[in-house]
Amino acid sequence: MGYVDEVIELVIKKNPAEPEFHQAVKEVLESLRPVVDANEEKFRREALLERIVEPDRQIKFRVPWVDDKGQVQVNTGYRVQFNNSIGPYKGGLRLHPSVNLGIIKFLGFEQIFKNSLTGLPIGGGKGGSDFDPKGKSDREVLAFCTSFITELYKYIGADVDVPAGDIGTGAREIGYMFGQFKKIKGTYEGVLTGKGLTYGGSLVRTEATGYGLLYLTEEMLKCNGLDIAGKTVVVSGSGNVAIYAIQKAHQLGAKVVTASDSNGWVYDADGIDVETLKEIKEVKRARLTEYVKYRPKAEYHEGRGVWNVKCDIALPCATQNELLLEDAKVLVENGCIAVAEGANMPTTLDATEYLLANGVLFAPGKAANAGGVATSALEMSQNSERLSWTFEEVDAKLKQIMVNIFHNMSNAAERYNAKGNYVVGANIAGFEKVATAMIAQGIW
Ligand code: NDP
């Protein structure tokens, strides 16, 4: 058995009941085979793969809070600090009932390579809780966030670990957490990113993941002789990533015809109206069923279905494992030319393989959605400098980072005889830098 297979087997044995973590490790390690094969003796002696799949530490804690009826509720909090060989741990906090240790580990593991790919000095981490902010009052969200940070503050800091938003964690939650950190610690530091603009947040952070996804998609198409203008796009999700992906796609001359949430999806032949979506999701925090009230010509459908709509480009922007093999087959049949992942691991392994085998350009999430964390790192830089850059400055830096990421992964794929396979390219490019840093820093 080869080194890669041995380590995958070890991960499954040591981390039972964590299927998403197994999936992420398998996807990354399998695409690293060419690099591992070329350095097997050295990597084995260093136990490099065994070290990289084991988090530096994982913190799990009780989060008690009082609801509006006076009842004490208890959630579980997590922070997995995966690898800080190239910079302080950096990664979001997910608040969703589906959160468990395996999900946080998969996200933290992916984050190592994504952060490395940005070219910025940030390590990999992820956290969150099984708390569901949906349907909670502002006071309940405040109570949860206060309790969550009252424990987590011990483990984070501007030079240690800098959490950010993710599913369920937006500017409101980050604000409540920042306030509590400041109160307990007595320091005003850039310990969280995604902050409000009046207290250290960066312009473009809200838009960054969606905009970055489109900058990378545009570059990928351009380098393959294609133009994004005039293309029909399907998007899943209607949260932070989806909204700004749709906005930028329209700015670049494409037309996005779908959006979805966990209950259903909308089809709008005239193009999804971003202002309506923002009103429903960001202001009212309502369900997507509302969309047709504003746009009567659009259609609302219960359940899944976005990938059945004929398109040139598909952008999964909701959650993990939302684009399955059967969906990939329909996309190919309908002539889809490109899939770029706005969400983390939205495409299953067999669906990814099918898309690649059928010549669909495929940009994996760790490259395509890295704009969010990259701009978070730019927020960290601004906080350290105690300066704020203009929208145009940050947006230009973001675009350059996404273009560089595309070329880094494309070049890495070519170097290892996998031209056009950006999954292999992204993993290799992200891994090489981290591996070099780990080896240089001795055994830890
Ligand atoms: P939001 O919470 O803003 O939006 C998530 C969207 O996905 C909502 O439309 C939500 O619907 C839908 N969704 C969530 N869970 C499920 C589910 N189990 N099944 C179907 N739909 C679901 O999150 P973000 O937009 O911030 O994040 C989306 C994805 O992008 C995640 O994978 C996240 O990890 C990734 N990502 C986010 C970054 C960021 O900067 N925000 C950066 C990099 C990656 P509903 O409202 O019904 O729950």
Side-chain angles (χ1 to χ4, degrees):
M1 199 190 284
Y3 186 30
V4 161
D5 301 297
E6 280 171 35
V7 175
I8 292 174
E9 206 175 280
L10 180 79
V11 165
I12 295 172
K13 196 166 142 217
K14 280 181 77 172
N15 305 273
E18 293 180 359
E20 292 85 1
F21 181 49
H22 304 165
Q23 183 182 342
V25 169
K26 225 168 146 214
E27 187 249 309
V28 171
L29 294 196
E30 282 186 346
S31 61
L32 293 179
R33 271 183 211 279
V35 192
V36 175
D37 289 349
N39 297 279
E40 177 154 352
E41 206 188 314
K42 180 172 160 200
F43 285 2
R44 268 188 190 275
R45 194 177 55 247
E46 294 270 352
L48 190 71
L49 296 188
E50 289 88 336
R51 282 196 278 152
I52 213 163
V53 297
E54 188 75 40
D56 290 356
R57 70 192 58 77
Q58 46 197 51
I59 302 144
K60 184 176 174 197
F61 51 99
R62 182 173 64 238
V63 190
W65 56 279
V66 182
D67 71 15
D68 284 346
K69 296 189 187 107
Q71 174 65 48
V72 176
Q73 301 285 345
V74 181
N75 286 101
T76 307
Y78 303 91
R79 186 72 183 165
V80 174
Q81 297 179 330
F82 226 113
N83 190 301
N84 67 353
S85 56
I86 62 168
Y89 307 105
K90 182 96 199 80
L93 296 170
R94 179 173 291 191
L95 300 182
H96 193 272
S98 64
V99 163
N100 57 41
L101 185 60
I103 298 231
I104 299 298
K105 279 166 71 179
F106 118 62
L107 291 163
F109 183 68
E110 290 267 306
Q111 197 83 43
I112 306 170
F113 308 100
K114 178 192 302 189
N115 292 1
S116 166
L117 263 180
T118 64
L120 300 167
I122 38 179
K126 196 83 186 187
S129 172
D130 56 358
F131 173 78
D132 188 359
K134 259 193 237 122
K136 304 288 191 301
S137 69
D138 274 354
R139 197 211 56 81
E140 289 175 322
V141 172
L142 172 62
F144 168 82
C145 292
T146 304
S147 179
F148 183 79
I149 284 296
T150 300
E151 181 60 26
L152 189 65
Y153 90 97
K154 299 167 192 163
Y155 309 101
I156 59 177
D159 295 317
V160 181
D161 182 354
V162 184
D166 189 65
I167 290 179
T169 308
R172 174 183 60 171
E173 291 75 17
I174 292 290
Y176 291 158
M177 291 181 193
F178 183 73
Q180 179 65 0
F181 180 89
K182 189 164 59 76
K183 189 169 172 63
I184 310 177
K185 218 36 205 299
T187 58
Y188 200 104
E189 56 178 289
V191 63
L192 288 149
T193 55
K195 298 187 289 298
L197 293 176
T198 54
Y199 60 95
S202 174
L203 286 160
V204 195
R205 176 58 190 94
T206 307
E207 296 85 353
T209 307
Y211 278 21
L213 172 67
L214 268 296
Y215 291 145
L216 186 129
T217 304
E218 185 188 28
E219 187 68 12
M220 174 171 78
L221 292 175
K222 198 171 97 191
C223 292
N224 284 279
L226 298 160
D227 190 350
I228 193 164
K231 299 288 184 291
T232 301
V233 181
V234 293
V235 166
S236 64
S238 50
N240 174 261
V241 180
I243 288 173
Y244 294 98
I246 297 171
Q247 187 173 71
K248 184 52 75 178
H250 287 167
Q251 288 171 8
L252 296 176
K255 182 162 81 171
V256 180
V257 292
T258 65
S260 68
D261 65 16
S262 40
N263 297 111
W265 57 285
V266 288
Y267 173 74
D268 189 338
D270 296 333
I272 294 287
D273 187 67
V274 175
E275 288 316 311
T276 300
L277 207 54
K278 285 168 82 169
E279 171 72 15
I280 296 169
K281 288 290 171 181
E282 293 180 350
V283 182
K284 292 189 166 171
R285 296 179 190 270
R287 309 307 298 158
L288 210 49
T289 41
E290 297 274 308
Y291 187 86
V292 288
K293 292 187 191 156
Y294 294 81
R295 305 268 291 178
K297 280 203 260 166
E299 301 162 14
Y300 177 80
H301 302 271
E302 286 289 331
R304 310 175 73 243
V306 162
W307 315 123
N308 296 332
V309 174
K310 190 168 165 47
C311 68
D312 302 304
I313 300 167
L315 305 175
C317 296
T319 192
Q320 64 272 7
N321 294 330
E322 52 156 324
L323 199 164
L324 313 174
L325 179 59
E326 70 217 45
D327 305 316
K329 287 183 178 167
V330 178
L331 286 172
V332 169
E333 208 175 294
N334 283 341
C336 174
I337 52 170
V339 174
E341 297 184 318
N344 283 313
M345 209 168 74
T347 316
T348 56
L349 279 176
D350 51 2
T352 306
E353 279 159 16
Y354 187 85
L355 293 168
L356 288 171
N358 284 278
V360 176
L361 299 172
F362 183 87
K366 68 171 64 68
N369 69 34
V373 75
T375 308
S376 284
L378 299 180
E379 183 173 329
M380 288 164 72
S381 300
Q382 292 169 79
N383 292 165
S384 302
E385 286 188 332
R386 308 224 185 276
L387 286 175
S388 297
W389 304 336
T390 64
F391 190 96
E392 290 70 26
E393 274 177 282
V394 182
D395 193 36
K397 285 186 203 299
L398 168 65
K399 185 164 184 185
Q400 194 55 54
I401 289 169
M402 299 313 295
V403 166
N404 289 347
I405 290 176
F406 174 74
H407 288 282
N408 284 345
M409 72 178 178
S410 178
N411 293 341
E414 270 195 56
R415 268 192 285 123
Y416 285 91
N417 297 322
K419 189 170 188 286
N421 186 331
Y422 306 128
V423 176
V424 166
N427 285 331
I428 292 179
F431 170 80
E432 281 179 330
K433 187 171 158 194
V434 174
T436 307
M438 284 178 75
I439 291 170
Q441 291 170 26
I443 305 300
W444 52 276

